[in-house]
Amino acid sequence: MSDRSAAQPRAGAPPPTSSPPAADAGARPARPPALPRLRRRLDLATILGLGAALLLIIGALALGGGAGAFFDLASVLIVLGGTAAVTTISFSVPDMRAAARAIGRTMVASTPDVASAARTALSLADHARRNGPLSLHPLAAATKGWPVLHRAVELIVDGLPADDAERILRTEIEANMARARTAAAVLRRAAEVAPAMGLIGTLVGLVQMLGNLSDPSSVGPAMAVALITTFYGAILGSMVLSPLAAKIDRNAEREALVDGLYLLAAGSVARQENPRRLEMLINTMLPPDLRISSFD
């Protein structure tokens, strides 16, 4: 057979292609998803609020001319020690440690940026749609600072069905919320106990005072010391513990909102949905001033 006949294509065979088809000129270049911003800073609302409240009380005492008379070590021990002991009875030592860590997190906030998290969730879906879910594998190590986002990326790369991925992430989010609720419940219980411990200290002081009625000059100072424990209990419960419990709940709700965005992204990628639909779902979860628009 001649070279000319060998070079001719067979009848019915598809024409040969010399190169792969060119990419769509209108397609946007694939960019790696941007990680959310995590603002690690002092929570000025908590610190300034607590500081201002305590300074106002101390200032009022100083203006009265007798700030030193409002300190009594025995009263401090009764209120603080008694509140911690009785609260531990209602919970457990690990719960108390978790509550102490939660208080520390309210002082130094690691508040997720909701708008940044929304853009990250959307960029994950867009990147996976253009390049395939396996293209997100390099992000697995870079997202360890965001546990739910890290788990979402792992589930996407592993190719789990959407229902399974959403169930796993929802369980983790609910577990995080349960831990936050427990910490807040510890502080609320302590806020209830503190005034009662103050009253107990007052009763102890009154009994001691009544036992020394033979010395009339000691009745006034003894009565003042007896009432100090009630003062300590009211301040500890109403000005410290109860507001901190509310702040823990507020931070937990904000984190759950951010984690819910990652849950939506994982389900959208697993179902191979259009990222525009994910954007609409995300905007239904966000307040109007934080809504995003990436496809206009």
Side-chain angles (χ1 to χ4, degrees):
M1 183 181 296
S2 64
D3 295 340
R4 181 181 299 272
S5 60
Q8 294 178 351
R10 293 177 300 170
T17 57
S18 58
S19 61
D24 184 4
R28 292 182 300 170
R31 293 178 298 176
L35 296 181
R37 295 193 304 271
L38 189 62
R39 297 178 294 179
R40 298 186 183 275
R41 54 179 174 74
L42 293 177
D43 192 328
L44 296 181
T46 302
I47 295 174
L48 292 179
L50 286 176
L54 296 177
L55 285 176
L56 288 173
I57 296 295
I58 295 173
L61 298 180
L63 291 175
F70 282 83
F71 176 77
D72 183 71
L73 182 58
S75 298
V76 172
L77 294 177
I78 290 174
V79 173
L80 292 182
T83 299
V86 174
T87 305
T88 305
I89 295 173
S90 301
F91 293 91
S92 64
V93 174
D95 289 339
M96 298 295 289
R97 288 199 296 262
R101 290 193 296 269
I103 292 175
R105 287 193 294 271
T106 62
M107 299 298 176
V108 182
S110 298
T111 306
D113 190 306
V114 178
S116 177
R119 288 189 292 270
T120 295
L122 193 59
S123 65
L124 285 176
D126 189 38
H127 189 82
R129 182 177 176 85
R130 294 176 179 278
N131 304 280
L134 289 178
S135 65
L136 299 178
H137 186 268
L139 291 179
T143 55
K144 290 185 177 179
W146 300 268
V148 174
L149 175 59
H150 177 69
R151 180 62 60 87
V153 171
E154 287 185 333
L155 296 176
I156 290 173
V157 172
D158 291 342
L160 262 68
D163 292 340
D164 292 342
E166 289 175 344
R167 183 170 59 253
I168 292 172
L169 293 176
R170 190 174 292 110
T171 300
E172 185 164 347
I173 293 172
E174 291 174 354
N176 293 337
M177 287 292 294
R179 285 190 289 268
R181 291 193 197 101
T182 300
V186 169
L187 294 185
R188 288 196 178 90
R189 177 59 179 160
E192 296 173 357
V193 171
M197 295 307 303
L199 181 58
I200 290 173
T202 297
L203 295 176
V204 171
L206 289 176
V207 170
Q208 294 175 344
M209 181 195 70
L210 293 175
N212 294 322
L213 287 179
S214 57
D215 184 7
S217 62
S218 65
V219 173
M223 175 65 79
V225 172
L227 294 176
I228 286 176
T229 51
T230 299
F231 175 69
Y232 287 165
I235 288 181
L236 182 62
S238 300
M239 296 179 59
V240 179
L241 297 175
S242 185
L244 287 177
K247 191 58 173 285
I248 290 174
D249 279 339
R250 182 260 183 191
N251 289 345
E253 291 175 358
R254 187 181 182 91
E255 291 180 4
L257 172 61
V258 170
D259 293 340
L261 300 177
Y262 302 145
L263 185 151
L264 286 178
S268 177
V269 172
R271 295 187 179 93
Q272 299 181 355
E273 296 175 343
N274 192 313
R276 291 178 181 271
R277 182 177 185 277
L278 176 62
E279 182 183 75
M280 290 187 292
L281 293 176
I282 287 176
N283 284 334
T284 60
M285 297 179 58
L286 299 180
D289 58 325
L290 295 180
R291 289 175 181 173
I292 58 177
S293 179
S294 299
F295 296 103
D296 290 345

